[in-house]
Amino acid sequence: MLEIRNLTRRFAAVTAVEDVSLSIPAGQLVGVIGRSGAGKSTLLRMINRLVDPSSGSIAFEGRDITALAGAALRRWRADCAMIFQQFNLVGRLDVLTNVLVGRLNRRASLSSLLGRFTEAERALAIRTLDRLDLADTALQRAETLSGGQQQRVAIARALMQSPRLILADEPIASLDPRNAKVVMDALRRINREDGLTVLCNLHTLDTAREYCDRIIGMQAGRVVFDGPPAALSGEMARTIYGVGEAEQAALESVTSTALRA
Amino acid sequence: MSNAAAIAAASVAADPGAAAVARIEALRAQAAQARRKATLGYGALLLLCIIVAAWINEVHPRALAAGIPRIGEYFALTVPKLEWAQLFAGPRTEGSLAFWFYRADEWGWLLLQTANMAAMATLAGTLGGFCLAFPAASNLAPRRWIYVAARRMAELCRTVPEIVYALIFVWAFGVGPLAGILAIAIHSVGALGKLFAEVVENADMRPVEGVTAAGGNWFETVRFAVLPQVAPNFLSYAILRFEINVRGASVIGFVGGGGIGQELYHVIAFNYYEEVSAIVAMIILCVATIDLVSEHLRHRLIGTARI
């Protein structure tokens, strides 16, 4: 259970996230939607503590996350794996090492710095890659892979963290529809099979509708909608995206990433 | 679809990963062994080179052991005879600081000239290096021959030692700072040209594509897509070069290139031991001050550049 209470983040004159309160039970696949600049990224990055809140609190299973520092903070970061829009892999390292990066928090630092991983760790990394259909790329440099493959490597890295929670910040915004589907399917499968909570920023309505158990709509830093996909009316969507009726109809079809037969 | 199907099929099988683990581990072991072989081979080669180099250069433990105490002897000779009672007395009293630095005004002026030479040379070197850097960067050079010419030009400037240039210029322009400035400037053009070019080669090429696609010519691409990315690094390298040039300028006077070096050479040659230590102390103080200030400046530049 992730409990967010009155969370606010200000950047100089701009308030990116304003007084957000949410509670997310374990195992949910939650989509956060909204225009660019609505505060979706900042919200996710605050949960991982890549950004510190200006005020408010985040608690995970009763533990205050906002107060963590040092080793405890790094441990929490390992517990809530982050997936980025631009993948954030280390391009010049091979895929296997990129995936093993997900293990860093759970092993001795010195042997990591020398690049020594155990056979068991490598086996786990290869199995994880194999689950995402990528085992054969393991010894290639990460930068030689396509966008869709790189994002799946990033998911494998996230899984290696044995996380309690996955935070995905626009995971499919840089991908073509087919790869977008592969990545979203993988996230859903992890959510169903491993029972992991997934919190996913999306910029397309139909993806959110298709994959998520619950949709949170943000506008100008505030939560303006929170409910199941079925409850998200056209009018509500127009409020979230700040567009007129005709525009919205066009918007849904234009920004659709679904593959239609 | 096929990917999703493959994932589903893989998770159904009893131990789908085992085969993949065996396959990848075998490949990895192979690659690791090849790497180990290469490391051993090159390691042995490097060791051999070090031994040969030491033999050629007569680096011998016995010679080292014999010579090290003599360094101390020289230092001992240059130590001034200071006396507590007279420490702050006038320049005519033996044993006072003022007596040790009895020509401090002259040396101060020469040091100022030295720093000035370094500044002038760095300015000229930065301008020259800036002009060379873009054609000498493999990702921006418009033609292959321009790239090769710019690279060789930078090498020519860089590989001839400053002292050699200084000798030539002293012969041409006469004894004085002008010869020193020119010699250091030319060396700086070569060194900075290469460093700048490497910064340019590491620049992100996406903005270049953006400006090119908008119809910009080569100069506009450099100005709008590359310069904003590389400017902080250029400045940082130029300041580092200034630090190096201050040191270079203090010895260029040995061959008549102006600055404190001429005076230092004079007192060393005539065995004015106490004056050697006084001048060296002033040079160290001056160089250290400039280093501290410029390091501070450089860190501030890099700090702002990274945000």
Side-chain angles (χ1 to χ4, degrees):
Chain A
M1 177 78 113
L2 183 71
E3 290 271 5
I4 296 172
R5 290 267 160 275
N6 311 103
L7 199 63
T8 298
R9 170 69 206 202
R10 283 177 288 272
F11 293 104
V14 188
T15 305
V17 171
E18 196 172 356
D19 198 27
V20 167
S21 295
L22 291 168
S23 82
I24 296 164
Q28 245 181 9
L29 202 168
V30 183
V32 185
I33 60 168
R35 296 165 60 165
S36 337
K40 310 188 295 283
S41 278
T42 308
L43 177 65
L44 247 67
R45 294 168 78 85
M46 276 195 284
I47 297 173
N48 189 277
R49 291 280 309 277
L50 286 173
V51 172
D52 283 324
S54 302
S55 65
S57 75
I58 305 166
F60 186 73
E61 285 166 3
R63 198 160 63 116
D64 187 9
I65 298 309
T66 36
L68 295 179
L73 173 60
R74 290 194 293 275
R75 186 71 200 206
W76 162 246
R77 284 180 173 152
D79 280 340
C80 63
M82 192 97 188
I83 291 166
F84 300 87
Q85 178 177 351
Q86 293 296 334
F87 328 130
N88 295 16
L89 299 178
V90 188
R92 294 174 56 83
L93 287 178
D94 62 31
V95 167
L96 189 62
T97 313
N98 266 290
V99 175
L100 286 165
V101 164
R103 216 63 206 163
L104 289 181
N105 191 255
R106 304 189 190 274
R107 60 201 315 282
S109 194
L110 188 63
S111 73
S112 298
L113 292 179
L114 292 170
R116 308 189 91 91
F117 292 91
T118 64
E119 205 171 316
E121 284 166 328
R122 282 201 306 272
L124 182 61
I126 295 168
R127 278 167 195 273
T128 310
L129 279 171
D130 193 46
R131 240 183 112 182
L132 293 156
D133 210 17
L134 280 171
D136 288 309
T137 64
L139 301 179
Q140 285 181 38
R141 270 195 191 186
E143 64 196 358
T144 63
L145 303 188
S146 73
Q149 287 175 318
Q150 288 196 33
Q151 192 60 295
R152 278 182 286 150
V153 173
I155 293 176
R157 176 177 67 185
L159 287 177
M160 282 295 277
Q161 294 175 217
S162 314
R164 316 283 299 276
L165 182 69
I166 286 190
L167 305 169
D169 190 7
E170 301 274 7
I172 57 169
S174 313
L175 303 177
D176 63 74
R178 187 176 168 281
N179 275 313
K181 183 171 160 44
V182 171
V183 165
M184 285 311 293
D185 284 346
L187 282 177
R188 173 156 66 187
R189 200 162 65 83
I190 289 156
N191 170 254
R192 297 280 149 81
E193 287 176 9
D194 304 5
L196 284 176
T197 310
V198 177
L199 203 60
C200 186
N201 282 349
L202 293 166
H203 69 297
T204 52
L205 259 178
D206 61 335
T207 316
R209 281 206 166 106
E210 191 183 337
Y211 286 93
C212 301
D213 306 322
R214 173 179 170 189
I215 292 180
I216 292 166
M218 288 187 74
Q219 202 216 358
R222 291 177 170 277
V223 170
V224 292
F225 174 84
D226 184 357
L232 183 67
S233 64
E235 196 185 346
M236 196 63 236
R238 285 194 288 283
T239 314
I240 293 170
Y241 288 101
V243 293
E245 203 163 334
E247 269 180 295
Q248 192 241 331
L251 196 89
E252 282 223 37
S253 62
V254 168
T255 66
S256 170
T257 50
L259 288 175
R260 297 201 171 81
Chain B
M1 271 317 211
S2 64
N3 273 321
I7 291 170
S11 61
V12 170
D15 190 5
V21 171
R23 193 168 67 242
I24 301 300
E25 278 292 275
L27 283 171
R28 204 193 64 84
Q30 222 171 22
Q33 202 187 359
R35 226 178 7 248
R36 230 182 345 260
K37 245 186 223 164
T39 310
L40 272 175
Y42 286 118
L45 194 69
L46 183 68
L47 193 68
L48 188 75
C49 288
I50 291 172
I51 292 169
V52 171
W55 179 70
I56 290 175
N57 295 319
E58 295 166 13
V59 180
H60 199 279
R62 221 176 311 146
L64 274 174
I68 284 171
R70 303 206 54 195
I71 301 176
E73 272 169 47
Y74 190 86
F75 273 113
L77 282 172
T78 63
V79 170
K81 289 152 198 74
L82 294 177
E83 280 166 42
W84 263 116
Q86 272 91 29
L87 202 57
F88 299 105
R92 291 177 188 284
T93 319
E94 260 192 71
S96 72
L97 277 174
F99 184 78
W100 186 25
F101 287 100
Y102 77 108
R103 276 163 65 202
D105 51 342
E106 222 171 299
W107 295 331
W109 172 250
L110 282 173
L111 267 173
L112 191 71
Q113 191 183 54
T114 308
N116 200 25
M117 282 165 60
M120 292 285 289
T122 309
L123 203 64
T126 304
L127 280 174
F130 182 88
C131 296
L132 268 184
F134 299 100
S138 59
N139 54 344
L140 281 190
R143 294 270 182 287
R144 176 80 196 159
W145 68 266
I146 293 178
Y147 166 76
V148 173
R151 280 267 153 167
R152 294 298 92 78
M153 180 75 195
E155 263 159 37
L156 192 73
C157 294
R158 192 173 66 240
T159 46
V160 180
E162 282 165 341
I163 291 281
V164 175
Y165 280 129
L167 279 169
I168 298 168
F169 293 137
V170 165
W171 192 81
F173 300 103
V175 169
L178 179 63
I181 291 172
L182 282 174
I184 298 171
I186 287 181
H187 189 84
S188 297
V189 168
L192 286 177
K194 183 187 166 67
L195 285 174
F196 286 179
E198 258 143 47
V199 172
V200 172
E201 283 176 352
N202 283 323
D204 186 358
M205 289 303 280
R206 285 175 296 188
V208 173
E209 209 169 43
V211 175
T212 309
N217 65 24
W218 189 81
F219 292 99
E220 288 159 346
T221 307
V222 167
R223 161 71 181 80
F224 290 101
V226 183
L227 193 58
Q229 295 187 61
V230 298
N233 277 327
F234 275 24
L235 263 173
S236 157
Y237 275 135
I239 294 170
L240 177 68
R241 193 70 223 173
F242 177 57
E243 294 170 26
I244 298 169
N245 283 350
V246 172
R247 278 184 286 271
S250 31
V251 290
I252 209 88
F254 277 46
V255 295
I260 190 81
Q262 229 153 317
E263 180 69 14
L264 184 60
Y265 181 69
H266 180 78
V267 297
I268 289 175
F270 284 81
N271 286 336
Y272 296 156
Y273 294 115
E274 286 198 22
E275 295 184 21
V276 172
S277 63
I279 292 176
V280 169
M282 280 182 81
I283 291 176
I284 290 174
L285 197 72
C286 174
V287 170
T289 311
I290 288 173
D291 274 12
L292 279 176
V293 172
S294 71
E295 196 178 350
H296 179 72
L297 209 68
R298 214 145 38 87
H299 283 172
R300 273 186 50 183
L301 269 173
I302 298 170
T304 49
R306 284 211 178 126
I307 291 177

